[in-house]
Amino acid sequence: MATTSNAGPKALGKLLRGARKTLTAWLSRPLASFHLILAIMCLLMVLGLIMVLSSSSALSVQQGSGAYSYFTKQAVFMGIGLVLFYVGLRTPLSLIRRLSGILIGACALLLVFVLFTPAVNGSKGWIRIGGFGVQPVELAKLALALWGAHVLVLKRNLLHRYRHLLVPLIPVALVLLALVALQPDMGSAVSLGIVLLALLWFVGAPLRLFGGILVGAVAAAGLFAFAASYRSARVFSFLNPGADPRGAGLQYNQSLQALADGGFFGRGLGEGASKWGYLPNINTDFIFALIGEELGFLGCAVVLGLFALLAWTGLRIAARNTDPWIRLVSASLTVWLVTQAAINIGYVIGLLPVTGVTLPLISYGGTSAAVTLAVFGVLANCARNEPEAVSALRNQGPGTFGRLLRLPAPEPYKAPPSKRAPTRPSAPPRQAQRPPTGPGANSYRRAHMSKWEPNRRMPRDERRAGGRR
Amino acid sequence: MPGRTRGSIGVRKASISRALSRADKTRRPARIIVGRVLLVGALVLATVQLVKVQAFDGPQLASAAEDQRITPVSIPAKRGTITDAQGTKMAFSVDVVALTARPKAMRGTWDEAQGKLAKSGGKAVSYDQHAADIAGFLKQQLGDQFNEQDVLARLRSDRTFTYLDEKVDPQVATKIREKFPDIGQEKRSMRRYPAGSVAANVVGMASWRKDQKPPGMQGLTGLEHALNTKLAGKDGRREVDTGNGSDVVIPGTERDVRPAVPGMDVKLTLDEDVQYKTQQLLDEYRDKVKARGGSIAVLDVKTGKVVALADDKNYDPNDPSTLNSNNMGDPAISSPFEPGSVGKAITAAGALQEGVVKPDDVVTVPGSVKVADRTVHDDWSHPTQRFSFTGILAKSSNVGILKIANRLGPEKFEQYLKKFGIGQRTGIELAGESPGFLPSRKSWSASTFGNLPFGQGYSMTTLQMASAYQAIANGGVRIPPRIIQSTTGPDGKVVEHKSPKGTRVIGEQAAKQLVGMLRSVTQKAPSPNEGTAPSAALDGYQVAGKTGTAQQVDPKTGKYSQSEQTTTFAGLLPADHPRFVAAIMLDRPTGQGGQTAAPLFHDLGSYLTQRYNVRLSDGPTPKVKFVLN
């Protein structure tokens, strides 16, 4: 007996050590991040489609449009999203970066345009194309991340001045926020804010700035919340959910009941009762409650685990890349998606007031799903631009997946050529050389490269990359 | 601003560049690590909260969730079937569907949907056209009896709810509702009575009551009413989860809390064919002799079981509109009447049993006799004659039977009346049985004993009359009549309903003597030796019986009417081996018992002997002399 009881832990320890070794080995493969992103995306996408079908079938039938109407729409958008994913993956990142200005400009115009469309459910955020509605705000979030990163990296060496750190990023972001607030769409405003904060955080903005932003954001959120009665009702019902369980506290209470009903293993896929009219918006904002009800704690844990893995992988991509724009973009996009998930899950489980932030790739919502897939495309692209991955792809071939998708090998990162000694401490002329903003920034930069390139300090990574050359 | 801030900008510049350089120092800068910790930390926090919600607060929240979804549903129990002794179904239930519509809401929904269709380029159909389509399809499915125009008008009207048809076959209903999903349904059951009015007075009628809670089948008359709870069984209880604010059942949530217990099946002692024939003969004779009404009870001699129990006024239980206060009862058990001379058999039975007289004894019978303040005549005028005891019964002499009764004495006579069941309910399973009326010995006046021995002054039902003669036919043992043969419980177990233990009323010898005497009633011979009911005689069989013609009490004067009579005949056959006993009552016919009720007995006996292949009697009834001088 003694030997067996000793042998147990020993064998387990051996197994664990073996597993860890295998895991470390797998993670050290050059394309590990890329494959992780693909896996996370596929799992979330499949789970999302299943849950959209489960959550909306009852609703669809009650509306008399057939059990699959919501599911079909979502699937079509997922298909479009997969095309966008491929575009995001295939397009060279440098091109994406160059187009980011045009993208954000176009998004701003569309956001102005939607304000003149008829309101749907009290919100003007939709452009109707055929039978499908598209929300430009979703694309604007991605555009803000791409363009914001571009501007910040461009002004990399001027960021020690608040003016360069904040302008033009903050004004543009505020314009977008204002346009979104006019729709109004509080959930998207929150998402845009997250993207902005993530950009500032990862570019290294001073902590006191975040302190200031925090105070401002709380004030703004308060104003925003109490400007509309339904939002203040949400806040009050969050603070005292038992006060009106059939009115303002309805979603809070029904959501917790649905989760509790699921228990550990859930009632079984499709067996959820909340979707039969008990929990409003169950196919969009509260789909996580249905996951909890039908798939139980296990299902919830899988979703939480996938988003945690996304956080880990996305920031790993950021850490392993050398191109500062890629680093900033991948980190910001990751934070955007994961924070949005955390906020959504947070209010579903009763930790936050209801904000209408959706659960990426799982909530019903075509544009959101499609754009999220595009984001995954960009993230995957970034993963393929990790130096180890670039080296492997260039030296050992594109690999199965790359061959299948006819993906070209990524170009290695070239630090911008320095014409002067990198360490020379000279301040640029302050007033005259205002850094460029907007779509024309690249051409401006190319034209005036020599004027302000000397000011940049070459980071270590770039020096090393440059050294290899 | 510039002057004051210049220096501080310099400080900040230094701190920012320090931060930036720190961030760039390694491939895992602090901001990325912090970001990772914050993101994963938020998700871990969510996991902790999930454990709280799904595990610790779980049961309480989950029960709250369940409470709001549960809707109890009643599972209707299947109502029991009623059959006759041969197992022929007399009453059974079938499932039907009542098709419902909500015209007002249907119009709204239809117009909205068609509006959408028109917008997206489809061809819209007006609601009125839709209503016409529905009515047309219903007509096609439900046949000629369906009133298409009426239903169409209701569908196009502004009412909130209407029944389109309340008795639709479930399969047809499914077909209709597949084609027109906006038509609703109510599941019901319907009672079918294949034999229509045959035994309707016994079986009764049940109909669907939508106004009761829960809606269900309710027995209104007859056994359907008397045995309602047993026939109905017990509705089960099912719980389903329904959607919020609707009665949409969430698929897969049905669970039976309590199964339905089907109702009891009832097998009657009746023979449907005999019942039919009896009713038919009754109707025929009622019309022939212009009676106001009548009833017949046919019993099996050996068991006392009711073979037929007929009333002349009937309804068709398939059609509730035929039911009215005149025909809904069962007068054969509920309406007592003064039997008249039929009751002389009881007096004779007592006298024979007590030995105060023998069948062949000769009694001097004057034309009339004075009892207290009244004078009793015979039905026909005659001088003082010497009658045999048999002759007194066969000719139905009131004066003669009073002489015999005097030999018996009022105390003994009253005992025999009671032993024959007069004034007591037989205890048959039907509702509303009357005990009849027998004045208590204490209340007898001086003239009472001058009335009772020939069947006036007390009353009995047709069934009681049959039961009394059953005792005579059965060697003196009276077995109270019963009409339920057996019941089958929900477990499928058959419970035979045994008849109550018989009680000996008179000895076997006296019974045999009495039957022998009663045979002479049907004797056909030249006057004065002809019985009162030769028309009851049946070729090949010895028939025993007794006629009766009783004066009815005129409700206006409270005295016996000279014109309104009840005619009766109670008989048994074959007299040598009695098998059936029948009691016939006709209300206010033209003619006496011998001319009205007796021929009916003949026809009925003729049918019974053929139907049951009754063995012929050993010989014809021996002729006897009634008057001896």
Side-chain angles (χ1 to χ4, degrees), chain A residues 97-168:
Chain A
R97 182 178 176 182
R98 255 183 280 142
L99 293 174
S100 64
I102 298 169
L103 189 63
I104 197 165
C107 284
L109 286 177
L110 285 175
L111 284 176
V112 173
F113 174 75
V114 292
L115 293 179
F116 298 99
T117 59
V120 178
N121 297 330
S123 166
K124 300 178 228 181
W126 299 82
I127 296 174
R128 299 235 148 248
I129 304 166
F132 295 94
V134 178
Q135 290 173 293
V137 68
E138 297 294 340
L139 199 55
K141 297 168 194 170
L142 175 59
L144 182 65
L146 298 176
W147 175 80
H150 165 63
V151 169
L152 288 174
V153 169
L154 208 59
K155 303 177 103 189
R156 198 170 163 73
N157 292 321
L158 300 171
L159 296 181
H160 51 276
R161 292 194 214 154
Y162 272 114
R163 188 191 299 159
H164 292 289
L165 182 64
L166 302 182
V167 180

Side-chain angles (χ1 to χ4, degrees), chain A residues 156 160 162 201 203 205 254 257 259-261 267 273 276-278 292 297 300 304 308 312 315-316 319-320 349, chain B residues 12-13 16 20 24 27 29 31 34 36 39 43 46-47 49-50 54 58 61 65 68-69 242-244 250-251:
Chain A
R156 198 170 163 73
H160 51 276
Y162 272 114
W201 175 264
V203 87
Q254 291 294 332
Q257 284 180 9
L259 286 166
D261 213 13
R267 289 166 64 99
W276 295 87
Y278 289 102
F297 178 77
C300 290
L304 287 165
W312 187 82
L315 293 181
R316 172 182 145 110
R320 287 162 75 99
I349 62 180
Chain B
R12 272 181 216 161
K13 175 188 161 191
I16 291 176
L20 290 176
D24 276 347
R27 295 183 67 178
R31 293 275 166 121
V34 171
R36 212 175 248 180
L39 290 181
L43 296 175
T47 313
Q49 167 76 357
L50 260 184
Q54 297 196 298
L61 284 166
Q68 69 181 357
R69 293 192 302 259
T242 50
N244 193 20
I250 300 174

Side-chain angles (χ1 to χ4, degrees), chain B residues 86-141:
Chain B
Q86 274 77 40
T88 311
K89 282 182 180 176
M90 306 194 82
F92 62 96
S93 290
V94 290
D95 290 335
V96 290
V97 165
L99 291 178
T100 64
R102 302 177 182 278
K104 203 173 173 181
M106 277 165 71
R107 184 182 288 273
T109 317
W110 181 264
D111 286 348
E112 194 184 319
Q114 292 298 310
K116 270 187 193 164
L117 186 69
K119 231 183 232 174
S120 59
K123 191 167 169 283
V125 178
S126 74
Y127 174 75
D128 285 345
Q129 180 56 46
H130 177 58
D133 291 345
I134 293 176
F137 189 68
L138 286 176
K139 176 87 182 170
Q140 181 202 327
Q141 291 294 320

